Amino acid sequence: MTSAPTVTDELGFKDWPAPDRARGQLAATLATTIYAGHVRDQGTPYINHPVRVVTVLKNELGVIDPELLILGLLHDALEIAPSNERLIASHLGPALTQRLRSMTPDHRLEQRRKEPWDSDVWHNKIRCLGPEELLIRLADRIDNLRDLRHSPDPDRRARFLDSLTSTYLPLAEKSRDVNAPLRAAYEVLHAEFRQQAEAGT
């Protein structure tokens, strides 16, 4: 299981200014607390996924902004544990929790069963994201696409690929000229999708 020191290393905040470094340490502690005990459908500890998203942001998309890396680390925090919103806000501020809410499906925030119409509501919500939040979601898709072959649920794989072609890939293409990280996200996501399509995943 990924530990707080490992999360700290992946955030790479040893060179951050002191206030950002302290904020990063808080985020790492919160992440290990919130994701603890949660497991992905592949059977792996949940925290491994957001840590990999941070790695994608840093190493492949060129993100150096501490706040974006923290956002990447906590991007699923409200999805798996919406009751922790107050905890996150008390340590990292309501502005960050509002950004997390904008990136979280409504049925998760409302802690209710997913209804048939929730997929359309969610995809419309994604289309309204700002460039930075969209970048986090594209990094999330990159990691999920790479991990898709480990999912034991073929229906989940089909749903994932359908949402990728109908929503995420068009958004990535539309946003690629906004800035360098979004262009990189477009290129990486398309390359990963082509590779998996050729492999017949």
Side-chain angles (χ1 to χ4, degrees):
M1 180 174 172
T2 301
S3 62
T6 302
V7 174
T8 297
D9 291 343
E10 289 304 323
L11 281 172
F13 55 62
K14 293 176 182 176
D15 298 325
W16 291 5
D20 290 328
R21 199 159 56 242
R23 187 170 171 81
Q25 185 62 63
L26 271 175
T29 301
L30 284 170
T32 54
T33 300
I34 291 169
Y35 294 124
H38 293 275
V39 178
R40 303 252 289 171
D41 75 327
Q42 297 90 330
T44 55
Y46 203 102
I47 194 171
N48 294 356
H49 164 63
V51 168
R52 290 194 306 263
V53 168
V54 170
T55 302
V56 169
L57 288 166
K58 282 174 47 189
N59 297 347
E60 299 182 61
L61 308 186
V63 174
I64 58 173
D65 181 355
E67 197 67 8
L68 282 188
L69 297 177
I70 289 171
L71 195 64
L73 180 64
L74 293 171
H75 77 274
D76 276 345
L78 298 186
E79 182 166 346
I80 65 165
S83 60
N84 281 306
E85 180 175 355
R86 194 171 294 178
L87 175 67
I88 297 170
S90 68
H91 286 87
L92 299 175
L96 185 130
T97 54
Q98 188 56 45
R99 297 179 82 179
L100 291 175
R101 288 184 66 87
S102 76
M103 298 162 53
T104 305
D106 289 350
H107 73 281
R108 297 286 194 179
L109 292 172
E110 296 162 9
Q111 302 183 57
R112 59 173 174 79
R113 184 168 61 92
K114 186 177 181 180
E115 300 292 349
W117 58 81
D118 279 314
S119 290
D120 289 338
V121 172
W122 170 229
H123 289 159
N124 286 333
K125 191 172 184 178
I126 294 166
R127 293 183 185 100
C128 294
L129 290 175
E132 293 184 337
E133 290 78 9
L134 176 61
L135 180 65
I136 302 298
R137 273 296 164 199
L138 293 178
D140 167 70
R141 292 295 92 179
I142 290 167
D143 182 66
N144 281 332
L145 184 55
R146 290 169 174 169
D147 204 33
L148 194 60
R149 66 184 181 276
H150 300 300
S151 175
D153 183 355
D155 290 337
R156 179 182 179 275
R157 292 197 294 269
R159 290 193 305 271
F160 180 90
L161 293 172
D162 180 65
S163 69
L164 196 68
T165 55
S166 66
T167 301
Y168 290 95
L169 288 171
L171 278 175
E173 184 168 7
K174 182 179 178 182
S175 305
R176 62 182 170 172
D177 292 329
V178 172
N179 56 42
L182 279 168
R183 174 171 289 278
Y186 161 78
E187 292 171 352
V188 173
L189 190 60
H190 272 263
E192 287 288 337
F193 178 69
R194 284 195 303 270
Q195 180 179 335
Q196 298 227 13
E198 291 169 1
T201 300

